Amino acid sequence: QVQLVESGGGLVQPGGSLRLSCAASRFALNNYAIGWFRQAPGKEREGVGCISRSAVSTYYADSVKGRFTISRDNAKNTVYLQMNSLKPEDTADYYCATPRSGYGCNDGLRLYEYKYWGQGTQVTVSS
């Protein structure tokens, strides 16, 4: 069973930064592309961005482009979501996920293409 664990969430003021981590147990994360998603209260889960297995390709939702960066450290078996210039509308639970077989990181960020999900970490942007 693939297990993903997100961490790094918290309360931050508008304009601030946070770095979320997605760690894996029982499998090598470097064998998978990783997607980041978020779900705000009362809203549907939406794609934030993704990184390919080799880290050559990354894609971002228009709403976070230029502010968020996804990277990976295969030696630490961890993928990161660096979030800068945070806005109140970035408030949400953030999730990482691995694609289903046959899918990878692409600009679609479609939920159905992802199979294993972490439990999420909460990010609140407020003054």
Side-chain angles (χ1 to χ4, degrees), residues 32-53:
Y32 297 85
I34 294 294
W36 281 97
F37 296 80
R38 67 185 181 186
Q39 187 166 16
K43 295 188 177 181
E44 295 185 352
R45 192 169 297 189
E46 63 177 5
V48 173
C50 61
I51 186 167
S52 64
R53 187 174 59 181

Side-chain angles (χ1 to χ4, degrees), residues 15-36:
S17 298
L18 277 177
R19 189 178 76 163
L20 306 184
S21 299
C22 173
S25 61
R26 304 182 186 177
F27 74 101
L29 208 58
N30 61 320
N31 289 331
Y32 297 85
I34 294 294
W36 281 97

Side-chain angles (χ1 to χ4, degrees), residues 4-19:
L4 299 171
V5 179
E6 303 93 339
S7 62
L11 174 64
V12 62
Q13 292 187 340
S17 298
L18 277 177
R19 189 178 76 163

